[in-house]
Structure formats: structure tokens, C-alpha cells
Amino acid sequence: MAIRKELAKRSGAARRSAASQSSSFALSSEFRVGIGNDIHRLATGRKLILGGVRIPFDKGSVGHSDGDALAHALCDALLGAAALGDIGRHFPDTSPKWKNASSLTFLRHVRQLLDAAGYAIVNVDGTVDLEHPKLAPFIPRIRRKIAAALGMKPEGVSVKAKSGEGLDAVGRGEAVRPEAVAKMRARAT
């Protein structure tokens, strides 16, 4: 019985020591990942802006700001990774301040929030689901604009485009739906 008590005591001390070491390790080398998505209706007479780049097309995103659904998805991915809420909390669509605002402004503000919270962006990756127009010719410029807004090199920004293959609102040309993933690390203190 005495042996069992001694083993339990040692085991408990080892667990507490490991937990202490692991939590201090996690704080010094913490990586975080966030996922974001958005969907906007497309309407005639609106501008189509993705990643800060105006895409020539007869339809554009319906939104309170400039309707840049890719920038919105990226904001949510970054805010989510840092547990700082979502885009609606920081840029409510009920505020006149954000009416027709550039969504690159949102990305710059999110970067400032991350800096203040002690995080550095490692990379971001976005996929834009859009039936028409084809985005391939615009992707290099989109990557550069996003990178500039986030204060990082374009090599840390990936953007891909997919069609809806004729399915759902995207496939019928009624909507644009981007998804994004962001990875960040805690800054060394």
C-alpha cells in the first residue's frame, strides 16, 4: 500500500511538472490557425472587388462596404485564429462609418489588432468560388494587394479560384463564396 501511495505521489508530481513545462512551451512557440468564409450575392451595377482588386464584370458583390468577400473571409480567419471575434464585431454593417469602405482597410486594422495581441501572421490561403469571370489573370495582383495590407511578403499569400460547376448559387452565377485559412504564431516576448 505504501508503494502505491509513493508511486501515485510521484506520478502526480511528474504530471504537474510536465503540464508546467508544456504550458510554458506552448506560450513561447504557439501557432494558431483560423478559418473564415463569406458569401455575397452578385448584382448588376455593383463593382466586383476581390482582394482589393477591381475585376471587370457586369455584376458585383452586394455589401455594406465594398463587398470584397475575399478580404472579409481573410479577416474572419485572422480574427478567429487570435480569438478576437469576427468581422461583424469589428466592422458592423449597421455603421455608416463602413458604408462603401475598402475592405483592405479592414485587413490593415485586423493586422494592427494582431500586432497588439502579440501575433505575427505566418501565411494566409484563400479560395474564391466564382462561376464567372475567370480570376487567374488577376491572382498575382490580388496576392500583392493582400500582402501589402497585411504587411507581409506576397509569398505568404495564396489565392486560388474555383468555379461552381453549375451547382448552387455560385454555379448559377448568383454569388461569390470565398474561404480562407490563416496561420499565425505568438511573437517571442
Side-chain angles (χ1 to χ4, degrees):
M1 189 65 118
I3 294 174
R4 282 188 188 163
K5 283 184 182 178
E6 183 60 31
L7 287 174
K9 189 176 178 182
R10 287 183 187 177
S11 174
R15 278 193 304 270
R16 284 189 298 278
S17 174
S20 168
Q21 288 173 359
S22 108
S23 69
S24 65
F25 174 77
L27 291 176
S28 64
S29 64
E30 184 176 86
F31 284 94
R32 302 191 60 147
V33 175
I35 300 170
N37 62 62
D38 200 8
I39 187 165
H40 281 256
R41 278 183 298 118
L42 295 174
T44 304
R46 294 280 303 183
K47 295 175 184 174
L48 181 58
I49 300 171
L50 294 167
V53 174
R54 177 136 187 236
I55 312 294
F57 194 53
D58 62 335
K59 293 181 182 178
S61 301
V62 175
H64 182 71
S65 65
D66 62 3
D68 186 339
L70 176 57
H72 298 174
L74 288 165
C75 284
D76 269 347
L78 291 161
L79 290 166
L84 293 173
D86 63 21
I87 191 170
R89 175 176 153 198
H90 295 276
F91 313 103
D93 64 5
T94 54
S95 171
K97 178 179 182 179
W98 306 120
K99 180 74 174 162
N100 297 320
S102 167
S103 296
L104 292 181
T105 301
F106 299 171
L107 282 172
R108 285 189 285 273
H109 182 74
V110 167
R111 186 197 71 224
Q112 291 170 348
L113 292 173
L114 296 175
D115 287 345
Y119 293 106
I121 301 167
V122 174
N123 70 297
V124 295
D125 182 16
T127 301
V128 180
D129 295 334
L130 180 67
E131 195 68 15
H132 297 291
K134 298 299 181 193
L135 297 179
F138 304 99
I139 287 177
R141 210 162 123 228
I142 291 170
R143 290 178 63 215
R144 288 192 302 271
K145 288 264 198 171
I146 291 168
L150 294 176
M152 58 192 299
K153 294 180 180 180
E155 293 79 19
V157 177
S158 174
V159 176
K160 304 167 306 291
K162 304 287 181 197
S163 77
E165 299 293 329
L167 301 173
D168 70 27
V170 170
R172 290 188 302 271
E174 299 169 359
V176 57
R177 181 181 47 227
E179 297 176 344
V181 177
K183 181 178 180 181
M184 63 184 64
R185 63 176 168 74
R187 292 186 195 276
T189 54

